Amino acid sequence: MAVQAQVSELEPLHADVETLLPSAVEQQHQRGGIRRAAFFVAGSFVIVGLGAIGVASWGRSSTQLGQIPSAKVGFIGLDESSGAPNSPTMKSFIAHSKPYMGGTRGDLSPGEQGGLLINEDGEWNQYFLPGANIIDGGKTVEYRPPWRFYLMKRPTTDYSNSDNFYKIQWPGKTFTVDMNLNGASCGCNLNFYLVDMPVGFPGSGGDYYCDAQCFPNMGCCAEFDMNEGNANVQQITNHACTHNYNGHSDWQCNKWGDPEDKSSQGQFSVGPGHTIDSTKKFTFSQEFRMEGGQLRVITTMSQEGRSVSFSMGPNEQLQAMLHDGSLERGMAFVTGYWYASDMNWLDGDECGGGAEHCSQNPTYISNWRITSNGSPVPSPEPVPSPEPGPAPSPGPSPSGQCPGQGDCDCGWVGEWGCGMDDGSECFCRCCCEKKGGSCRWSS
């Protein structure tokens, strides 16, 4: 039986209290690759256990995790030298990543449908990210925390029915998007990933969600993180579910992830001097390449003629994701934006180990393309220039009215949206009407 079939039918893990036990920890994985690993021990067990035997230290070099009674959820790791948590807690993800559940009985108003155009081998097809703000004629998604969205064949929030999801069979295909992080830096997490949902129960979010962290009452299943990150780092992680993790007999899935690719500061970061300057738009491309029955995932970020590439696999865990996950059969595509003060596990190399504060700036992913390997990737269609006409008065209109375009080229609005008001003249001329008739600039 496929691993997915076993995992998807797991009973929900129930929690009687929401308690974190900082002393019950694992040593940090050598690559620190988890995104939302957490731990949970029922309060009554903790009290009895502490009274009877004190606080035990469960390190990989000593006692096996499988000897921890009833511990079915992953443990956050500790930095071996400092003993400080460097992975997100269960509470962080649950508190700051919310599924969109609008609509009545799954029915959505036109404004909630989230119709998204995806170019598939040169043909534009419409799918749906219910609840997402779709701009630029259906080609750009504007993200704001804490929402996560699911790629659907039809506009519905009935996440219990697997047939409602658009599940792409990725082997032999390449996924390409353009990304504008718009200053979303330390503490922020913009992501798109695959999970083998829905599970057979609604869970705490009511969305039949599951992932490889196996959070209590949220389901447990294979997860492939196509991308997650912010302006400081980008990360790709495979979380298969093979039930055979040495030293972790309680794990259904690989919570830490294997393999994992992660950008270095020289490859990707804020400002000039890095191969990819995250203050500017860049293109993200991910190829699922088959090589003699083995899967290799090639991820490339490119900008202004420069590029950074990562090669993942082949290895046993990636093969498990291919066959049992299952990338071959198709998995639910999830995308969202969340934040936490303990996002150090992701961006700590640049942001440090202290509490982080995400700017929560809106971010943008546009020009979604899926191509069969060997086919050319379509270039983004240029935004049409406005018809020439008489130039309006250069100064702002009377109070309560928006100025005209003037000498500003407003094509960027259609491509990226307005974002934050930076007080500039061109922001006011291009975005005043979209911002309710007001802007900060004045002549």
Side-chain angles (χ1 to χ4, degrees):
M1 179 183 298
V3 172
Q4 184 276 338
Q6 299 172 355
V7 174
S8 296
E9 295 171 3
L10 291 175
E11 292 296 321
L13 303 177
H14 293 288
D16 297 325
V17 295
E18 291 188 357
T19 303
L20 296 177
L21 183 61
S23 59
V25 297
E26 269 288 346
Q27 296 177 5
Q28 168 66 4
H29 183 257
Q30 61 183 350
R31 289 184 298 272
I34 60 171
R35 174 164 52 88
R36 296 180 302 276
F39 70 90
F40 184 89
V41 180
S44 58
F45 174 78
V46 174
I47 295 171
V48 172
L50 292 177
I53 61 173
V55 179
S57 175
W58 294 302
R60 280 182 290 171
S61 59
S62 55
T63 308
Q64 299 293 312
L65 274 179
Q67 296 175 344
I68 303 173
S70 73
K72 295 186 177 180
V73 183
F75 283 70
I76 60 173
L78 292 187
D79 183 285
E80 193 166 342
S81 59
S82 68
N86 56 6
S87 299
T89 66
M90 173 189 72
K91 290 182 178 179
S92 292
F93 178 71
I94 294 175
H96 299 295
S97 177
K98 302 291 186 182
Y100 185 79
M101 300 296 295
T104 303
R105 298 184 302 276
D107 297 328
L108 300 171
S109 67
E112 295 177 294
Q113 292 183 2
L116 174 66
L117 293 175
I118 300 179
N119 190 310
E120 297 179 286
D121 285 329
E123 180 178 349
W124 289 101
N125 297 313
Q126 186 179 50
Y127 301 99
F128 300 89
L129 289 172
N133 183 26
I134 311 294
I135 58 177
D136 187 25
K139 296 180 182 178
T140 298
V141 183
E142 180 186 74
Y143 292 81
R144 295 177 184 269
W147 302 108
R148 66 175 182 265
F149 311 106
Y150 303 105
L151 186 63
M152 312 296 282
K153 296 176 185 174
R154 54 189 66 88
T156 179
T157 54
D158 178 7
Y159 303 130
S160 67
N161 185 351
S162 181
D163 291 337
N164 288 336
F165 293 82
Y166 182 43
K167 296 187 173 184
I168 301 157
Q169 296 171 328
W170 287 107
K173 292 185 172 62
T174 297
F175 176 72
T176 306
V177 289
D178 296 327
M179 301 182 66
N180 176 9
L181 298 177
N182 192 34
S185 186
C186 300
C188 303
N189 188 318
L190 177 67
N191 54 73
F192 40 90
Y193 60 103
L194 308 170
V195 292
D196 213 2
M197 65 179 288
V199 290
F201 57 94
S204 58
D207 54 343
Y208 297 81
Y209 178 79
C210 61
D211 65 24
Q213 302 308 323
C214 305
F215 292 129
N217 202 24
M218 290 187 73
C220 187
C221 66
E223 169 187 354
F224 185 81
D225 297 333
M226 300 173 73
N227 186 45
E228 59 181 336
N230 54 40
N232 300 281
V233 67
Q234 300 288 289
Q235 181 170 298
I236 305 99
T237 313
N238 177 69
H239 299 275
C241 298
T242 55
H243 309 262
N244 62 344
Y245 303 107
N246 293 334
H248 307 290
S249 60
D250 58 317
W251 283 11
Q252 300 291 339
C253 307
N254 193 326
K255 299 176 187 296
W256 286 330
D258 177 31
E260 174 196 279
D261 289 329
K262 189 170 188 175
S263 65
S264 67
Q265 184 175 4
Q267 293 171 326
F268 180 95
S269 193
V270 178
H274 310 283
T275 305
I276 305 298
D277 176 1
S278 63
T279 65
K280 301 178 180 180
K281 178 181 70 173
F282 64 95
T283 297
F284 177 96
S285 180
Q286 193 163 77
E287 177 188 355
F288 295 81
R289 181 187 299 177
M290 295 303 300
E291 300 176 344
Q294 300 288 305
L295 175 64
R296 183 183 299 275
V297 180
I298 310 295
T299 301
T300 302
M301 294 182 289
S302 57
Q303 181 185 72
E304 300 174 352
R306 305 179 304 275
S307 65
V308 171
S309 292
F310 307 95
S311 178
M312 174 181 286
N315 80 346
E316 179 183 354
Q317 287 292 294
L318 196 58
Q319 284 300 105
M321 183 65 67
L322 171 68
H323 298 303
D324 303 325
S326 154
L327 294 174
E328 288 180 325
R329 184 179 62 254
M331 302 169 72
F333 183 99
V334 189
T335 183
Y337 180 1
W338 64 290
Y339 63 92
S341 61
D342 57 355
M343 200 70 72
N344 321 81
W345 57 272
L346 177 67
D347 55 26
D349 288 346
E350 289 198 46
C351 300
E356 299 183 353
H357 304 281
C358 174
S359 66
Q360 302 186 44
N361 287 355
T363 59
Y364 304 90
I365 299 181
S366 63
N367 300 313
W368 296 53
R369 289 152 279 175
I370 300 172
T371 51
S372 299
N373 292 350
S375 301
V377 177
S379 299
E381 295 183 1
V383 177
S385 300
E387 293 294 328
S393 170
S397 296
S399 177
Q401 299 182 25
C402 293
Q405 181 172 320
D407 294 330
C408 294
D409 179 3
C410 295
W412 58 273
V413 176
E415 183 174 3
W416 298 116
C418 289
M420 302 290 288
D421 186 347
D422 59 5
S424 67
E425 176 181 353
C426 285
F427 183 96
C428 188
R429 291 186 177 280
C430 297
C431 294
C432 177
E433 292 184 0
K434 296 179 180 295
K435 292 293 183 178
S438 64
C439 54
R440 290 166 49 193
W441 174 76
S442 61
S443 59

